[in-house]
Each structure stands twice: as structure tokens, then as C-alpha cells.
Amino acid sequence: MTAIRTDERASEIAVIAKMAQLLDVLAGEPALTPSELGVRLGIPRTTVHRILQTLVAQDMLTPTHEPGPRLIHWSYKALGGLRTKSGPILDRLVKEFGETASVFVPSGAVRICIARHDGTQAVRHNINVGASVPIHVGSAGRILLAWLESDEREALIHNSYQLSGVAIAQPPPDWAEIRRQGWSTTAGERDPLLASISVPVFGPDQKVVAALSLSGPRMRLSNERVTAAVEVLKHEAALLSTQFEVGQ
């Protein structure tokens, strides 16, 4: 009986090790097929397929094999530098504008809120840290999509729509214009009463690693207020990008 339990334990450990190996490879090459992963890792394709199905079902991977909401939620302490450094920035934004300030990072077809300071108004946008939102919806999603290659962006938008059922904006955003101006604003895409303004946070490789956002009732985010908020958001995002580059 002891030998059987030992064999079972060894088998369970082996499966966990294979999961870890798969995640390591997929972190850099999420488009690999089960057959390609099997060849790369020396694991039967059927075993790879079963492990992938389990990881997707448990929200550890997205259907496109990007890090899933559960992994992001577990590991958001590993983003402590970004979260910690964004704290004073979110404070300043809330004090100046009274609206909810947030930081979002991409996770496949969704974006995850990793930091948030509530607005000071009685009526405000509430979103929980760790919450996921379809990436094709809202200004933060547009920021996270705008700097991607067009094929990758369109695939993520399609997957986001398939997973969420939330309608894709028509006409589609002008991605080149978002990149040129360095900000995006939307009103009523996810909730008819809400609006948001977002700008990119760049990592050391000049890739967009996060979106810095202000959000609240659309009646309070007039064109004049959006214009004022954009300049402040850009300034704060530039500070956050510089700190992120410096590292620990």
C-alpha cells in the first residue's frame, strides 16, 4: 500500500513538473501547438493536450495560451514594483480629479486590474483589484491593444468577443491615431453610464506593459475635463514608466 501511494505521489509530482515546463515555454511562445510543445518538451501530444485543457479550465491559461486571470491574480504580488510605485500616482490622480484611478495589465483576451484607488465622489466607478475585463472594451483595453501588431491585435479582439459576448465597437478604433496621440477615451462601451481615459505605461523594452486610467460617470467627463486629465495622466505615466525601467 505504501509503495502504491509513493508511486501515485511521484506521478502527481511529474504532472506538476510538466505543467511548469509547459508554462515556461508558453511564456515566450504562446502560439505553439500541442504537437510542437510535445516535440519541444519530449512529452506525448495527448499528454500536452490534457494538461493544456486543465490549465485553461482552471483559468491558469487563456484559450490562446496566454497567462490566465488566475495566474495573474496569484502572481500580482510579483508585480509589486509596478503596483507599489503606482500608489502615489493613483493618489494624486484621485485628489486632482475625484475619479477612480486604476492600473490594468494585459492577460490574453482580458485585462486585469492590478491597482486601484477609489474616487472621492458618492457616485463613482467601482472595480476590484484582480478583476478581469474583456480587452476589446474600454479605453484601457484600447491602449493595451494599440501598440500590438495588427494580426495579434485582431486575434485578441476576436477571442475577447468570443469569450465575453460584448459587442465590438463600430466603427473600429483608429489604432494609428491612438498611438500618435498617446491616449484613448471611451464612453458607454461596457456600461452606458461610464466613461474612461487611459494612457500607456512603457516597460524597459518600450513595450506597453500597463494602462493608467481614470474612470467615472460619463456626465462628469466632459471634453474639457478629458483634455485636462490626458495631460496629467501622460505626465504620471511617464514617471511610472521611468521608475519601471529603473527596476527594483
Side-chain angles (χ1 to χ4, degrees):
M1 187 69 71
T2 301
I4 293 175
R5 284 199 298 271
T6 301
D7 290 344
E8 288 175 349
R9 189 175 301 113
S11 177
E12 291 169 355
I13 292 171
V15 170
I16 293 171
K18 289 173 183 175
M19 284 185 174
Q21 291 172 337
L22 278 175
L23 291 171
D24 282 341
V25 174
L26 289 173
E29 300 179 80
L32 290 177
T33 66
S35 295
E36 291 168 333
L37 285 165
V39 172
R40 179 77 61 87
L41 297 171
I43 301 173
R45 185 191 64 80
T46 53
T47 301
V48 171
H49 185 67
R50 283 199 307 273
I51 293 174
L52 288 174
Q53 283 187 316
T54 299
L55 292 171
V56 171
Q58 295 297 320
D59 285 336
M60 294 171 70
L61 287 178
T62 69
T64 54
H65 302 159
E66 301 281 353
R70 199 169 183 182
L71 273 185
I72 293 291
H73 182 70
W74 286 348
S75 63
Y76 85 111
K77 287 186 178 179
L79 298 168
L82 184 56
R83 290 190 306 109
T84 301
K85 292 167 184 174
S86 68
I89 287 171
L90 298 181
D91 272 341
R92 289 195 294 269
L93 289 170
V94 171
K95 286 177 182 176
E96 181 160 356
F97 295 100
E99 306 295 354
T100 297
S102 310
V103 177
F104 292 90
V105 296
S107 175
V110 300
R111 53 185 168 95
I112 308 291
C113 178
I114 65 161
R116 180 220 68 217
H117 287 196
D118 287 332
T120 57
Q121 306 291 332
V123 178
R124 60 178 182 259
H125 179 205
N126 294 311
I127 184 167
N128 295 324
V129 171
S132 62
V133 181
I135 201 167
H136 74 286
V137 179
S139 65
R142 293 187 180 193
I143 289 296
L144 297 174
L145 291 167
W147 275 262
L148 299 177
E149 296 295 331
S150 58
D151 288 349
E152 182 181 3
R153 180 169 57 242
E154 293 308 312
L156 285 175
I157 291 171
H158 174 75
N159 291 336
S160 180
Y161 169 69
Q162 292 292 109
L163 290 169
S164 68
V166 178
I168 298 172
Q170 296 297 333
D174 185 335
W175 302 108
E177 176 66 10
I178 292 174
R179 292 193 298 271
R180 186 194 66 77
Q181 66 186 14
W183 60 276
S184 178
T185 184
T186 58
E189 277 198 359
R190 189 164 65 94
D191 184 313
L193 300 178
L194 290 177
S196 64
I197 316 147
S198 300
V199 299
V201 176
F202 292 95
D205 54 3
Q206 289 306 298
K207 288 186 177 180
V208 175
V209 296
L212 178 64
S213 300
L214 274 179
S215 56
R218 59 191 300 179
M219 62 185 177
R220 290 205 300 261
L221 293 178
S222 63
N223 290 339
E224 294 78 7
R225 205 145 183 258
V226 167
T227 299
V230 162
E231 295 311 310
V232 177
L233 281 166
K234 282 185 173 182
H235 174 74
E236 297 290 5
L239 291 177
L240 187 54
S241 294
T242 299
Q243 294 178 40
F244 194 78
E245 288 179 11
V246 170
Q248 311 310 317

